[in-house]
Amino acid sequence: MTDPTLRPRAKDSAIAVSFEFFPPKTEAMERQLWHAIETLAPVVPAFMSVTYGAGGSTRERTHAVVSRIQNEIGLPAAAHLTCVNATRDEIDAIADAYWQAGIRHIVALRGDPPGGIDGVFVPTPGGYAYANELVEGLLKLHPFEISVAAYPECHPQAKSPEADLDALKRKLDAGATRAITNFFFESAYYARFLERAQKAGITAPIIPGILPLTNFAHAAKMAKSSGTQIPDRVRVQFDGLDDNAAAREAAATRVALNQCHELFALGIRQFHFYTLNRAELVLNICRALGLDADRTYSKQDHSRG
Ligand code: FAD
């Protein structure tokens, strides 16, 4: 447990959060998504981002959700965009449509092969091979704000942790302004990663990606394929709770909050939440971080960035 004196307090307005959502596939999922977005909007996040499905499968849905967050909800929205299954011209057209719709922030990613992260990524002929090339291409088109991905426990396909850090540096040197990490549960790994990044000359913020463990079995599967360790002290919190949703929710809040407290003690003041389109858990965590204390949300209040 972190020293309680180091914990964030309600008046600590220096904390900023961002929220990630995925585009819905069904009407029920659509309702859940908009409930989540509207519930979390009053926290006034720095931005809300929307993922891009494997192989571009959510192209239209991602565009629709991102545009609505930006133009109807009135908060800065970021569109995820990948290099998968698209030529440079096709990506240019998608990015240009975002620019025309008023979207200024892209989360630029290589993406996973259509078969998942275990497959071999083969660039589309005439497409981008790596995310740093996508960053360069986007910035030739428009002066977007660009975020990229980082991996405190190393990307599973990287030749080595050093090569992976070089890849991150290339993305930032190409013009990305921040990195957002894959989810992790061991703050010490993230701290070590920050140290290595600093030594490698990286000065851009590397925002920790926090995944509240709403569904432990599913998260454990995702963790395995992305090479993320789940420490035993986290795992035991969910033991025997398979049939007790309320206790699982409480455990998920405890674990995520403890992680934020550990990161806060490291000096971290920005957190990116993988919401999985579920609002209440993330809202509870934000409240515990003091984020609902003195903020008022209105459609016009989207100046924080
Ligand atoms: P890159 O930075 O291009 O790196 C990919 C791999 O290639 C790494 O192993 C890297 O070390 C290596 N590499 C990079 N450059 C070179 C080079 N020149 N030579 C040799 N090797 C190199 N996926 C989606 O499909 N949709 C999403 O919306 C999405 N959102 C995400 C959001 C975040 C915050 C994160 C962390 C990940 C997200 N992903 C998403 C997953 C991501 O697409 C995968 O992890 C993908 O496998 C790598 O993408 P990248 O942008 O990190 O790739």
Side-chain angles (χ1 to χ4, degrees):
M1 233 358 154
T2 315
D3 177 353
T5 57
L6 294 175
R7 292 184 171 203
R9 288 177 296 277
K11 289 291 170 203
D12 200 322
S13 57
I15 292 181
V17 291
S18 49
F19 301 130
E20 183 171 312
F21 302 95
F22 62 88
K25 281 194 187 133
T26 63
E27 276 182 29
M29 287 167 84
E30 172 111 22
R31 280 195 297 278
Q32 182 179 347
L33 168 71
W34 288 104
H35 168 75
I37 289 174
E38 283 166 13
T39 305
L40 290 169
V43 176
V44 193
F47 62 90
M48 288 182 169
S49 80
V50 184
T51 61
Y52 194 73
S57 55
T58 67
R59 188 178 297 182
E60 284 79 21
R61 280 178 282 142
T62 299
H63 186 110
V65 177
V66 167
S67 301
R68 202 169 145 192
I69 292 171
Q70 178 90 28
N71 299 316
E72 287 182 34
I73 301 289
L75 286 169
H80 292 217
L81 187 55
T82 75
C83 310
V84 181
N85 265 355
T87 63
R88 293 175 183 222
D89 286 349
E90 285 165 341
I91 290 176
D92 280 4
I94 296 167
D96 196 49
Y98 276 126
W99 188 266
Q100 302 313 327
I103 307 304
R104 298 290 179 263
H105 185 174
I106 303 280
V107 182
L109 305 139
R110 185 200 67 178
D112 286 324
I117 200 164
D118 301 328
V120 178
F121 180 86
V122 181
T124 298
Y128 295 112
Y130 294 107
N132 65 297
E133 296 177 4
L134 175 60
V135 174
E136 270 171 41
L138 290 170
L139 288 173
K140 273 188 201 146
L141 204 61
H142 295 294
F144 284 112
E145 175 183 354
I146 299 188
S147 300
V148 290
Y151 303 87
E153 292 171 74
C154 190
H155 186 267
Q157 291 164 349
K159 287 201 187 91
S160 66
E162 292 70 33
D164 205 31
L165 199 57
D166 288 346
L168 173 61
K169 189 157 187 316
R170 270 196 297 278
K171 295 189 276 195
L172 295 163
D173 288 347
T177 49
R178 78 169 68 66
I180 301 170
T181 76
N182 191 26
F183 65 89
F184 61 91
F185 302 101
E186 191 60 84
S187 301
Y189 295 158
Y190 170 79
R192 227 170 293 151
F193 182 66
L194 286 191
E195 262 176 43
R196 292 178 45 235
Q198 206 179 8
K199 278 194 191 131
I202 290 174
T203 52
I206 301 178
I207 317 289
I210 310 288
L211 175 68
L213 286 161
T214 41
N215 178 336
F216 187 80
H218 181 237
K221 218 165 130 193
M222 280 165 50
K224 195 166 175 218
S225 64
S226 68
T228 303
Q229 306 290 323
I230 304 185
D232 285 343
R233 67 182 154 71
V234 169
R235 203 176 284 276
V236 295
Q237 304 266 349
F238 295 88
D239 278 355
L241 300 185
D242 288 354
D243 299 320
N244 190 338
R248 273 203 316 275
E249 193 95 352
T253 309
R254 226 173 26 245
V255 166
L257 203 49
N258 193 50
Q259 188 180 5
C260 292
H261 292 156
E262 287 174 356
L263 295 170
F264 187 89
L266 291 172
I268 302 304
R269 298 293 180 271
Q270 291 186 53
F271 304 94
H272 181 78
F273 287 99
Y274 295 104
T275 70
L276 303 182
N277 295 2
R278 291 176 44 129
E280 279 72 19
L281 183 55
V282 175
L283 183 65
N284 283 340
I285 295 164
C286 289
R287 283 195 173 140
L289 290 173
L291 279 173
D292 66 340
D294 40 32
R295 296 184 185 213
T296 46
Y297 166 74
S298 73
K299 207 167 171 289
Q300 284 71 40
D301 181 10
H302 51 97
S303 53
R304 292 161 23 82

